[in-house]
């Protein structure tokens, strides 16, 4: 008996029937495998390594999302960073996943659809919090009288030095841990990334939207977490994710994982090609759900 | 004495390794879900999931066919979208798109029911399994049902645009539904036309203070929202680059190319 089981929904309605024939191309698989850091040993035992074109199995369903991320811009060869999220989204996911080089599949616990495990939490100390804290203190120093402001500026420099030093210690210890006994830094896609319903440990799980564009959005979201940005806010009043609980982005300008996900979904809805009306409509609605539920301070706009 | 310390140290490291090793899990298919619907709805579902333009001839024909068999479509839709249905999200999504595309007042009851009652999709016990860490990443069932409610709301708004008074009334009711997304989209729809202002004012009067900001949300173009100026500054490390994706011809792989797996990639069975 398998550790977890799944029910395959209608492959046309999830978009898998549209993308399935496209991924079944050895040059694409040969390219996607190393560039996204797929870990061979985590895709065996029913996860699809031995049947890569079978869209009923998890691996093909993941590759469908990778294909969408790669080819949905009309001029897909242009993934320049100066373009829009539809163009650079796939490149960003590749760069981030390649950094960990360990994309796994696992049953999960029936809760999260994906988890990012690694040193992103310690890296954000010196690459985000120290810089932000330093600039905030410097701003405050400018409000002090010039006779005393030098004390404030000195304090800002010392604080930044200690913070950065702590960041490096934390990163070093964390990297050592994951590089030895910690099991490696990785992104793990759970059963609920691939399927809307199934069982884990004998209990029924799911009920979500797991079409191809939703999977692509999850990859963008997790990639942003690798990029040193944890959630930094509480969900707003009335949020379906749990009002007042942690896990939101403070606002749109924080440029966190929710913002990246919405931005990609929005561009995909507005300009996505080689896809379907149903996929684009799904992207639009999901973007609006996130915009109204996942930011502590409302971004102030909706997808029309 | 040092021998004992060394053995204890090694034992501790070994125990830590064993504790942190994660067992690979196995997975298997137990069932599949196939929609049992009439030919017109089945054809629409196939087309809306394969074409990307509502002006596509196949899409136009599929919508005309839906309009020609309203009773059958409504019967299938009622069954698939009911509380007791075990139809998964994607099928419900396509069915709601079908109802919206018909622009027929006969669809309003079903659309209103979905728009005004976003309920988690089955299995509904999912929430009880969520721990605090899963918050925000684990509310999948609620998220899916809200997306469906928004699909339905689009259909209702289209009917209101056609001058259907009952649809306009439904929009006003949706503006006070206990769902941020449904509320916000309904309020934006009411704010979109000046002659809807009495409905908007009525909805605003019933809005809790802490949710009033939802009435300020505006529908804008994606080009008009702040973008990520340079995603490179948000990379975890140095950019690694790598080979470009294989070229394609309008969605289809180009003929030729290697048939042998490389870089540890899985082989195509029979390839």
């Amino acid at each position: 008996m398998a550790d977890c089981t799944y029910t395959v929904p209608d492959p046309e309605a999830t978009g898998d029937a549209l993308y399935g024939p496209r991924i079944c191309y050895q040059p694409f698989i040969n390219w996607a495998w190393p560039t996204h850091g797929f870990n061979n040993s985590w895709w065996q035992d029913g996860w699809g390594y031995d049947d890569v074109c079978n869209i009923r199995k998890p691996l093909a369903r993941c590759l469908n999302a990778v294909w969408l991320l790669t080819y949905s811009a009309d001029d897909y060869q242009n993934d320049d960073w100066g373009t829009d999220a539809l163009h650079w989204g796939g490149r960003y996911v590749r760069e981030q996943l390649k950094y960990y080089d360990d994309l796994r599949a696992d049953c999960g616990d029936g809760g999260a659809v994906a988890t990012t495990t690694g040193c992103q939490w310690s890296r954000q100390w010196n690459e985000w919090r120290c810089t932000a804290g330093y600039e905030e203190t410097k701003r405050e120093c400018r409000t002090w009288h010039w006779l005393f402001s030098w004390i404030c500026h000195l304090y800002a420099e010392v604080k930044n030095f200690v913070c950065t030093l702590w960041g490096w210690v934390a990163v070093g210890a964390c990297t050592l841990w994951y590089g030895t006994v910690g099991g490696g830094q990785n992104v793990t896609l759970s059963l609920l990334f691939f399927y809307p319903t199934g069982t884990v440990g004998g209990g029924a799980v799911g009920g979500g939207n797991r079409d191809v564009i939703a999977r692509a959005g999850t990859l963008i979201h997790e990639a942003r977490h690798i990029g040193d940005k944890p959630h930094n806010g509480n969900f707003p009043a009335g949020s379906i994710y749990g009002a007042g609980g942690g896990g939101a982005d403070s606002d749109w300008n924080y440029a966190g994982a929710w913002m990246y996900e919405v931005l990609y979904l929005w561009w995909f809805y507005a300009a996505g090609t080689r896809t379907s009306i149903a996929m684009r409509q799904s992207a639009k609605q999901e973007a609006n759900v996130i915009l109204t539920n996942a930011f502590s301070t409302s971004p102030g706009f909706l997808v029309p | 004495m040092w021998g004992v310390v060394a053995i204890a140290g090694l034992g501790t490291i070994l125990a830590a390794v064993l504790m942190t090793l994660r067992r690979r899990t196995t997975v298997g298919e137990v069932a599949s879900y196939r929609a049992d619907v009439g030919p017109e709805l089945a054809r629409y579902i196939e087309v809306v999931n394969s074409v990307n333009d509502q002006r596509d001839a196949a899409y136009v024909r599929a919508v005309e066919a839906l309009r020609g068999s309203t009773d059958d479509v409504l019967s299938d839709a009622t069954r698939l979208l009911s509380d007791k249905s075990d139809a998964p999200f994607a099928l419900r999504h396509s069915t709601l798109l079908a109802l919206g595309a018909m622009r027929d007042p006969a669809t309003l009851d079903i659309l209103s029911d979905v728009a005004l009652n976003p309920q988690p999709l089955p299995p509904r016990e999912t929430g009880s399994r969520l721990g605090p860490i899963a918050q925000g990443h684990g509310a999948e069932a609620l998220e899916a049902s809200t997306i469906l409610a928004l699909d339905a709301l689009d259909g209702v708004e289209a009917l209101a645009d056609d001058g259907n008074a009952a649809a306009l009334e439904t929009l006003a009711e949706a503006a006070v539904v206990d769902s941020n997304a449904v509320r916000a989209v309904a309020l934006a729809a009411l704010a979109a036309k000046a002659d809807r202002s009495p409905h908007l004012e009525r909805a605003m009067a019933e809005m809790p203070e802490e949710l009033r900001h939802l009435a300020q949300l505006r529908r804008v173009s994606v080009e008009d929202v702040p973008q990520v100026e340079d995603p490179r500054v948000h990379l975890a490390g140095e950019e690694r680059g790598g080979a470009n994706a294989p070229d394609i011809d309008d969605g289809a792989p180009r003929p030729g190319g290697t048939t042998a797996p490389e870089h540890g990639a899985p082989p195509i069975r029979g390839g």
Side-chain angles (χ1 to χ4, degrees):
Chain A
M1 182 64 183
D3 295 310
C4 50
T5 64
Y6 55 82
T7 300
V8 181
D10 188 318
E12 272 169 7
T14 58
D16 288 294
L18 177 67
Y19 290 95
R22 299 169 177 177
I23 61 148
C24 193
Y25 178 50
Q26 195 68 56
F28 171 73
I29 297 168
N30 288 351
W31 169 80
W33 198 259
T35 52
H36 292 79
F38 283 90
N39 182 328
N40 288 32
S41 59
W42 288 83
W43 294 89
Q44 317 281 340
D45 302 320
W47 293 97
Y49 186 89
D50 57 351
D51 200 3
V52 65
C53 291
N54 187 345
I55 57 170
R56 306 176 73 84
K57 296 202 170 180
L59 177 53
R61 298 169 85 83
C62 181
L63 286 170
N64 283 346
V66 168
W67 199 99
L68 182 154
L69 286 168
T70 309
Y71 294 112
S72 287
D74 190 30
D75 53 337
Y76 65 88
Q77 296 97 334
N78 175 17
D79 56 4
D80 191 89
W81 295 119
T83 57
D84 55 65
L86 184 67
H87 287 83
W88 54 251
R91 182 180 179 186
Y92 185 75
V93 168
R94 287 198 299 278
E95 285 292 339
Q96 298 294 72
L97 291 180
K98 187 67 190 145
Y99 187 77
Y100 278 1
D101 206 18
D102 194 355
L103 181 61
R104 303 174 177 182
D106 189 57
C107 288
D109 63 0
V113 296
T115 48
T116 299
T117 306
C119 297
Q120 68 276 6
W121 311 112
S122 52
R123 268 185 281 118
Q124 49 111 1
W125 269 100
N126 48 349
E127 291 174 15
W128 162 244
R129 288 193 179 179
C130 296
T131 311
Y134 176 71
E135 285 165 1
E136 192 181 324
T137 311
K138 294 284 261 186
R139 267 196 303 276
E140 197 179 323
C141 292
R142 286 185 211 112
T143 65
W144 287 33
H145 189 279
W146 65 271
L147 271 176
F148 307 104
S149 67
W150 68 271
I151 301 172
C152 180
H153 284 293
L154 184 64
Y155 169 70
E157 298 299 335
V158 171
K159 194 173 87 164
N160 190 37
F161 176 77
V162 172
C163 181
T164 305
L165 193 66
W166 164 248
W168 282 114
V169 170
V171 169
C174 180
T175 307
L176 185 66
W177 168 260
Y178 281 108
T180 53
V181 297
Q185 301 188 67
N186 66 81
V187 173
T188 301
L189 308 175
S190 81
L191 185 76
L192 291 181
F193 172 85
F194 309 98
Y195 304 98
T197 54
T199 64
V200 175
V205 295
N209 163 22
R210 288 290 101 204
D211 58 18
V212 178
I213 180 61
R215 285 173 231 154
T218 299
L219 290 176
I220 293 267
H221 186 115
E222 295 306 315
R224 186 67 189 99
H225 282 319
I226 297 174
D228 312 340
K229 257 314 177 48
H231 295 304
N232 68 335
N234 294 328
F235 290 113
S239 171
I240 58 169
Y241 302 117
D249 285 351
S250 54
D251 57 36
W252 181 265
N253 293 327
Y254 175 65
W258 290 117
M259 181 266 205
Y260 264 61
E261 187 174 354
V262 169
L263 202 56
Y264 186 83
L265 293 171
W266 200 337
W267 274 105
F268 179 82
Y269 166 67
T273 61
R274 304 181 187 88
T275 186
S276 69
I277 295 167
M279 279 300 103
R280 287 175 44 233
Q281 285 296 323
S282 177
K284 168 193 160 179
Q285 312 296 25
E286 183 159 6
N288 276 335
V289 170
I290 296 171
L291 281 169
T292 49
N293 288 280
F295 293 88
S296 304
T297 301
S298 170
F301 35 74
L302 286 172
V303 181
Chain B
M1 193 263 189
W2 289 113
V4 174
V5 171
I7 290 168
L10 282 173
T12 305
I13 291 169
L14 189 62
V17 169
L18 290 173
M19 281 169 64
T20 53
L21 276 182
R22 288 177 61 192
R23 187 176 70 89
R24 272 82 165 152
T25 50
T26 59
V27 69
E29 178 181 336
V30 288
S32 61
Y33 189 94
R34 261 284 169 193
D36 178 21
V37 296
E40 290 79 16
L41 183 55
R43 174 66 185 149
Y44 178 85
I45 291 171
E46 183 191 337
V47 171
V48 80
N49 282 286
S50 56
V51 307
N52 194 27
D53 190 339
Q54 293 184 350
R55 292 167 300 183
D56 190 294
Y59 183 81
V60 172
R61 278 197 303 275
V63 173
E64 282 169 3
L66 287 176
R67 289 176 179 148
S69 48
T70 306
D71 290 346
D72 290 345
V73 174
L74 291 182
S75 167
D76 284 338
T78 304
R79 183 169 44 81
L80 287 172
L81 299 169
S82 82
D83 273 357
K84 295 187 176 70
S85 166
D86 60 350
F89 165 86
L91 193 58
R92 293 175 190 242
H93 172 60
S94 293
T95 302
L96 286 163
L97 293 182
L99 295 179
M102 290 169 75
R103 292 188 88 133
D104 184 337
T107 62
L108 183 60
D109 283 349
I110 307 176
L111 291 172
S112 300
D113 197 40
V114 176
L116 300 178
N117 300 287
Q119 299 291 325
L121 301 186
R124 296 183 176 83
E125 65 269 35
T126 306
S128 62
R129 300 178 59 86
L130 302 182
I133 294 169
Q135 268 197 333
H137 293 92
E140 287 285 305
L142 264 175
E143 192 178 277
S145 62
T146 309
I147 291 172
L148 296 176
L150 297 185
D151 281 336
L153 206 53
D154 278 354
V156 173
E157 185 180 359
L159 289 173
D161 289 344
D162 293 342
N164 187 305
L168 186 55
E169 211 45 54
T170 302
L171 282 182
E173 286 178 49
V176 293
V177 161
D178 189 16
S179 160
N180 285 359
V182 173
R183 269 187 166 132
V185 170
L187 287 165
L190 290 175
K193 298 202 172 181
D195 60 353
R196 296 175 184 171
S197 59
H199 291 81
L200 180 62
E201 284 163 19
R202 200 177 77 210
M204 286 301 293
E206 294 181 42
M207 185 77 71
E209 189 63 37
E210 70 271 21
L211 296 175
R212 295 216 160 191
H213 66 89
L214 294 174
Q216 308 304 317
L217 304 187
R218 290 290 168 261
R219 291 165 164 172
V220 296
S221 161
V222 66
E223 291 91 348
D224 295 334
V225 303
Q227 307 287 313
V228 179
E229 281 183 16
D230 186 357
R232 275 174 300 187
V233 302
H234 297 154
L235 291 175
E238 210 166 288
E239 194 177 345
R240 297 174 186 217
N244 292 330
D247 281 336
I248 54 168
D249 289 332
D250 201 28
R254 283 194 174 158
T258 181
T259 54
E262 295 167 1
H263 316 294
I268 292 175
R269 186 182 274 177

Short mmCIF file of all heavy atoms in Angstrom, two decimals, chain A residues 278-300:
data_model
loop_
_atom_site.label_atom_id
_atom_site.label_comp_id
_atom_site.label_asym_id
_atom_site.label_seq_id
_atom_site.Cartn_x
_atom_site.Cartn_y
_atom_site.Cartn_z
N ALA A 278 -9.71 28.82 -20.21
CA ALA A 278 -9.97 28.34 -18.84
C ALA A 278 -8.77 28.58 -17.93
O ALA A 278 -8.92 28.97 -16.76
CB ALA A 278 -10.34 26.86 -18.86
N MET A 279 -7.55 28.35 -18.45
CA MET A 279 -6.35 28.58 -17.64
C MET A 279 -6.21 30.07 -17.29
O MET A 279 -5.89 30.43 -16.15
CB MET A 279 -5.09 28.16 -18.41
CG MET A 279 -4.73 26.71 -18.43
SD MET A 279 -4.44 25.98 -16.83
CE MET A 279 -5.96 25.12 -16.62
N ARG A 280 -6.45 30.92 -18.27
CA ARG A 280 -6.28 32.36 -18.02
C ARG A 280 -7.33 32.89 -17.06
O ARG A 280 -7.04 33.73 -16.22
CB ARG A 280 -6.27 33.12 -19.35
CG ARG A 280 -4.94 32.88 -20.09
CD ARG A 280 -4.87 33.50 -21.47
NE ARG A 280 -5.40 34.83 -21.51
CZ ARG A 280 -6.35 35.23 -22.37
NH1 ARG A 280 -6.83 34.39 -23.24
NH2 ARG A 280 -6.77 36.47 -22.34
N GLN A 281 -8.55 32.38 -17.18
CA GLN A 281 -9.60 32.80 -16.24
C GLN A 281 -9.27 32.35 -14.82
O GLN A 281 -9.49 33.07 -13.85
CB GLN A 281 -10.96 32.22 -16.66
CG GLN A 281 -11.57 32.93 -17.86
CD GLN A 281 -11.91 34.38 -17.57
OE1 GLN A 281 -12.34 34.74 -16.49
NE2 GLN A 281 -11.71 35.24 -18.56
N SER A 282 -8.75 31.14 -14.70
CA SER A 282 -8.35 30.62 -13.39
C SER A 282 -7.27 31.51 -12.77
O SER A 282 -7.29 31.82 -11.57
CB SER A 282 -7.85 29.18 -13.54
OG SER A 282 -7.40 28.68 -12.31
N ALA A 283 -6.32 31.95 -13.63
CA ALA A 283 -5.24 32.82 -13.16
C ALA A 283 -5.80 34.14 -12.63
O ALA A 283 -5.39 34.64 -11.58
CB ALA A 283 -4.25 33.09 -14.30
N LYS A 284 -6.75 34.70 -13.36
CA LYS A 284 -7.35 35.98 -12.96
C LYS A 284 -8.02 35.86 -11.59
O LYS A 284 -7.79 36.69 -10.70
CB LYS A 284 -8.38 36.41 -14.01
CG LYS A 284 -9.27 37.55 -13.58
CD LYS A 284 -10.47 37.71 -14.51
CE LYS A 284 -11.58 38.49 -13.85
NZ LYS A 284 -12.74 38.68 -14.72
N GLN A 285 -8.84 34.83 -11.44
CA GLN A 285 -9.59 34.69 -10.17
C GLN A 285 -8.65 34.43 -9.00
O GLN A 285 -8.84 34.97 -7.90
CB GLN A 285 -10.63 33.57 -10.28
CG GLN A 285 -11.50 33.60 -11.54
CD GLN A 285 -12.40 34.82 -11.65
OE1 GLN A 285 -12.12 35.87 -11.09
NE2 GLN A 285 -13.47 34.69 -12.42
N GLU A 286 -7.63 33.59 -9.24
CA GLU A 286 -6.71 33.29 -8.14
C GLU A 286 -5.95 34.56 -7.74
O GLU A 286 -5.72 34.80 -6.54
CB GLU A 286 -5.72 32.19 -8.54
CG GLU A 286 -4.80 31.81 -7.38
CD GLU A 286 -4.17 30.45 -7.52
OE1 GLU A 286 -4.33 29.81 -8.57
OE2 GLU A 286 -3.49 30.04 -6.56
N ALA A 287 -5.59 35.36 -8.71
CA ALA A 287 -4.89 36.62 -8.40
C ALA A 287 -5.78 37.51 -7.53
O ALA A 287 -5.32 38.10 -6.55
CB ALA A 287 -4.52 37.34 -9.69
N ASN A 288 -7.07 37.58 -7.85
CA ASN A 288 -7.97 38.41 -7.05
C ASN A 288 -8.17 37.86 -5.64
O ASN A 288 -8.31 38.63 -4.68
CB ASN A 288 -9.31 38.58 -7.77
CG ASN A 288 -9.26 39.70 -8.79
OD1 ASN A 288 -8.46 40.62 -8.67
ND2 ASN A 288 -10.11 39.63 -9.80
N VAL A 289 -8.18 36.54 -5.52
CA VAL A 289 -8.30 35.95 -4.18
C VAL A 289 -7.08 36.33 -3.33
O VAL A 289 -7.21 36.73 -2.17
CB VAL A 289 -8.43 34.40 -4.28
CG1 VAL A 289 -8.31 33.77 -2.89
CG2 VAL A 289 -9.76 34.02 -4.91
N ILE A 290 -5.90 36.25 -3.93
CA ILE A 290 -4.68 36.59 -3.18
C ILE A 290 -4.64 38.09 -2.85
O ILE A 290 -4.31 38.48 -1.73
CB ILE A 290 -3.42 36.16 -3.98
CG1 ILE A 290 -3.40 34.64 -4.14
CG2 ILE A 290 -2.15 36.63 -3.28
CD1 ILE A 290 -2.33 34.13 -5.10
N LEU A 291 -5.00 38.91 -3.83
CA LEU A 291 -4.97 40.38 -3.61
C LEU A 291 -5.85 40.80 -2.44
O LEU A 291 -5.55 41.75 -1.74
CB LEU A 291 -5.43 41.11 -4.88
CG LEU A 291 -4.40 41.24 -6.01
CD1 LEU A 291 -5.07 41.73 -7.29
CD2 LEU A 291 -3.28 42.19 -5.61
N THR A 292 -6.95 40.09 -2.22
CA THR A 292 -7.90 40.50 -1.18
C THR A 292 -7.73 39.74 0.14
O THR A 292 -8.44 40.03 1.10
CB THR A 292 -9.35 40.30 -1.68
OG1 THR A 292 -9.47 38.98 -2.22
CG2 THR A 292 -9.71 41.31 -2.74
N ASN A 293 -6.80 38.78 0.16
CA ASN A 293 -6.68 37.95 1.37
C ASN A 293 -5.27 37.79 1.92
O ASN A 293 -5.12 37.34 3.06
CB ASN A 293 -7.22 36.54 1.09
CG ASN A 293 -8.73 36.50 0.96
OD1 ASN A 293 -9.44 36.49 1.96
ND2 ASN A 293 -9.24 36.50 -0.26
N ALA A 294 -4.25 38.12 1.13
CA ALA A 294 -2.90 37.75 1.55
C ALA A 294 -1.96 38.93 1.82
O ALA A 294 -0.76 38.73 1.99
CB ALA A 294 -2.28 36.82 0.50
N PHE A 295 -2.49 40.16 1.82
CA PHE A 295 -1.67 41.33 2.12
C PHE A 295 -2.22 42.03 3.36
O PHE A 295 -3.42 42.32 3.43
CB PHE A 295 -1.66 42.30 0.94
CG PHE A 295 -0.97 41.76 -0.28
CD1 PHE A 295 -1.67 41.03 -1.23
CD2 PHE A 295 0.39 41.97 -0.47
CE1 PHE A 295 -1.04 40.51 -2.35
CE2 PHE A 295 1.03 41.46 -1.59
CZ PHE A 295 0.32 40.72 -2.54
N SER A 296 -1.36 42.32 4.32
CA SER A 296 -1.81 43.01 5.54
C SER A 296 -2.43 44.35 5.19
O SER A 296 -3.49 44.71 5.69
CB SER A 296 -0.63 43.24 6.49
OG SER A 296 0.00 42.03 6.79
N THR A 297 -1.75 45.08 4.32
CA THR A 297 -2.30 46.34 3.82
C THR A 297 -2.72 46.12 2.37
O THR A 297 -1.91 45.68 1.55
CB THR A 297 -1.23 47.46 3.85
OG1 THR A 297 -0.79 47.61 5.20
CG2 THR A 297 -1.78 48.77 3.35
N SER A 298 -3.97 46.40 2.10
CA SER A 298 -4.51 46.11 0.77
C SER A 298 -3.72 46.82 -0.32
O SER A 298 -3.42 48.01 -0.21
CB SER A 298 -5.96 46.57 0.72
OG SER A 298 -6.42 46.52 -0.61
N PRO A 299 -3.36 46.10 -1.41
CA PRO A 299 -2.65 46.75 -2.51
C PRO A 299 -3.48 47.85 -3.18
O PRO A 299 -2.93 48.74 -3.82
CB PRO A 299 -2.39 45.60 -3.49
CG PRO A 299 -2.48 44.36 -2.67
CD PRO A 299 -3.50 44.65 -1.61
N GLY A 300 -4.81 47.77 -3.07
CA GLY A 300 -5.66 48.83 -3.62
C GLY A 300 -6.12 48.60 -5.04
O GLY A 300 -6.73 49.48 -5.64
#
